[in-house]
Amino acid sequence: MTTVQKIKEVEDEMAKTQKNKATSYHLGQLKAKLAKLKRELINPSTGSGGGGGGLGFDVARTGVASVGFVGFPSVGKSTLMSKLTGTHSEVSEIDFTTLTTVPGTLKVHGAPIQILDLPGIIEGAADGKGRGRQVIAVARTCHLIFIVLDVLKPLGDKKIIETELEGFGIRLNKKPPNITVRRKEKGGVAITNTAPLTHIDQDEIRAILSEYRINNVDIAIREPGITADDLVDVIEGNRVYIPAIYVLNKIDAISIEELDLLYKIPMSVPVSSREWWNIDELLEKMWETLNLVRVYTKPRGLAPDYSAPVVLKRGKCSVEDFCMAIHKEIAKQMKYAIVWGASAKHSRGQKVGLEHILEDEDVVHISKK
């Protein structure tokens, strides 16, 4: 029996099992078993169908962040890519025109962003159909995913693509669950929770641990609404949490009333790549979601250089990170920095050290020892 057939068997078993107190242990085991089988698909132990790149999929990374275009064939990904970046990506009404990853670069607010046009995926991609495994493996490495959908069938296609990405360990628009799994040599299983367990009980937790043969462990759950899937994700440890924007393309083919309905889909931006409608809103949403910080340099006695910002990721935007982004020796040579902007206490500038956290569009002067 193939791995895909085993997955289908477990999913069928889960579907016909009613969830109640008596079945929670059994369901917990099934969920853990399903995750282990899907892991086999992501990382096959033999053969050449692994989750890595492959011909046409290994792309040199450039820019400060990467955005992957994911979608079914012929939804307009290549048209959007070509117009945004000036990079030629084969455009046609025929399905599967793009057969490899096509990279391009787009400047937004002075920051170079790499755009990756990925081949159209099909249903069953995570199970290895088409080139789905390679496509989704590249998507796993992106900082942001554009899920490009045809506005005439957005919700159906959205659900299928989400399922494919989820099956490959990609969690869209989610944060890692606040669960700690600390294995130990002895002492059995200890489960503590500082929030109510509303979607999982202790039997289900123990069943999942049993399936993974984890007999000695401390589990701490610190947020409400935790599910069995969340616990499995933490134990598996290979999940990636990536923001996604739903790009609803071809709005030139629908009415204003239909357009109003599309705006109700969370994290969505309706556009027309052919007519170039609403692209400014898409770029602003991209910038906001990437959560980047621009910092401008100010040489001594000169005006700030606003033409080439140093772009940092929020969460790694200290003065030390700023120095390291320019050259690793600068942090060692720095005596102090003067910062102007949102992070400074005074409009005339603030003298700070390496640990100071910078905000978007701050200006920094480094004074050396």
Side-chain angles (χ1 to χ4, degrees):
M1 186 183 290
T2 67
T3 303
V4 174
Q5 288 171 329
K6 289 177 184 176
I7 287 173
K8 180 70 167 61
E9 193 175 72
V10 173
E11 287 176 337
D12 289 345
E13 174 74 10
M14 288 173 64
K16 70 182 182 184
T17 303
Q18 286 188 329
K19 180 158 187 178
N20 54 50
K21 183 69 176 172
T23 62
S24 64
Y25 190 91
H26 180 56
L27 279 169
Q29 284 188 312
L30 290 174
K31 285 179 179 178
K33 189 175 292 185
L34 183 63
K36 288 160 68 178
L37 288 168
K38 287 186 173 180
R39 188 207 311 150
E40 288 180 24
L41 278 180
I42 297 171
N43 301 308
S45 56
T46 59
S48 58
L55 186 64
F57 288 88
D58 293 322
V59 177
R61 291 311 171 91
T62 61
V64 297
S66 58
V67 179
F69 283 26
V70 174
F72 285 116
S74 302
V75 293
K77 291 190 285 84
S78 297
T79 301
L80 190 57
M81 163 82 170
S82 298
K83 288 188 175 181
L84 280 174
T85 66
T87 302
H88 180 68
S89 187
E90 200 68 42
V91 178
S92 169
E93 296 298 319
I94 303 169
D95 286 354
F96 301 107
T97 308
T98 303
L99 298 176
T100 63
T101 299
V102 179
T105 302
L106 167 70
K107 273 209 168 184
V108 182
H109 298 312
I113 310 293
Q114 186 179 48
I115 306 292
L116 301 172
D117 182 17
L118 302 173
I121 67 171
I122 58 175
E123 191 169 1
D127 299 337
K129 290 184 181 178
R131 294 190 173 191
R133 188 174 289 152
Q134 294 100 318
V135 171
I136 301 176
V138 175
R140 277 177 64 94
T141 67
C142 293
H143 298 98
L144 171 65
I145 296 174
F146 276 2
I147 297 179
V148 187
L149 303 168
D150 188 325
V151 293
L152 297 177
K153 44 180 180 178
L155 295 179
D157 287 357
K158 175 178 180 284
K159 182 63 178 173
I160 293 169
I161 291 172
E162 285 172 342
T163 300
E164 296 304 326
L165 296 177
E166 285 271 329
F168 219 76
I170 297 174
R171 302 294 177 256
L172 300 172
N173 296 326
K174 293 180 181 176
K175 293 181 179 178
N178 195 348
I179 303 173
T180 303
V181 176
R182 189 175 64 82
R183 303 193 193 207
K184 54 190 181 181
E185 290 186 10
K186 57 184 180 180
V189 174
I191 303 167
T192 59
N193 57 288
T194 56
L197 302 179
T198 53
H199 293 83
I200 189 173
D201 58 33
Q202 295 219 1
D203 282 347
E204 207 166 352
I205 293 172
R206 292 179 186 278
I208 291 167
L209 297 173
S210 171
E211 182 63 32
Y212 281 100
R213 294 186 171 87
I214 300 174
N215 301 313
N216 298 292
V217 66
D218 292 331
I219 304 280
I221 298 173
R222 299 187 184 89
E223 68 175 290
I226 288 295
T227 66
D229 292 327
D230 292 329
L231 177 58
V232 167
D233 283 351
V234 173
I235 292 172
E236 283 286 329
N238 63 352
R239 307 312 194 217
V240 291
Y241 296 81
I242 305 176
I245 294 173
Y246 299 93
V247 184
L248 308 173
N249 194 22
K250 305 182 183 178
I251 59 172
D252 48 299
I254 63 171
S255 67
I256 293 294
E257 290 76 19
E258 290 169 312
L259 182 60
D260 288 340
L261 290 173
L262 292 177
Y263 267 106
K264 294 181 179 179
I265 299 174
M267 291 296 290
S268 68
V269 181
V271 303
S272 169
S273 58
R274 186 172 65 180
E275 301 295 335
W276 211 236
W277 292 348
N278 216 30
I279 302 302
D280 287 347
E281 182 182 336
L282 177 62
L283 295 180
E284 282 305 313
K285 187 73 172 176
M286 178 181 77
W287 177 261
E288 175 191 320
T289 307
L290 284 171
N291 216 4
L292 300 174
V293 174
R294 293 160 291 174
V295 182
Y296 303 105
T297 58
K298 184 189 181 305
R300 183 182 294 276
L302 299 175
D305 179 7
Y306 292 109
S307 63
V310 176
V311 183
L312 306 170
K313 292 183 176 65
R314 197 169 291 281
K316 289 200 70 176
C317 55
S318 66
V319 170
E320 184 174 11
D321 294 320
F322 168 77
C323 292
M324 296 295 285
I326 301 171
H327 194 283
K328 60 184 179 182
E329 291 299 317
I330 293 179
K332 297 176 185 176
Q333 298 168 3
M334 189 187 98
K335 184 178 180 182
Y336 60 85
I338 300 176
V339 177
W340 296 264
S343 74
K345 291 180 180 177
H346 323 290
S347 59
R348 64 181 180 274
Q350 179 186 353
K351 186 185 289 189
V352 300
L354 288 171
E355 70 286 348
H356 180 82
I357 302 301
L358 299 165
E359 290 292 337
D360 191 33
E361 297 197 276
D362 275 358
V363 174
V364 177
H365 167 71
I366 301 294
S367 181
K368 295 184 179 180
K369 295 174 183 175

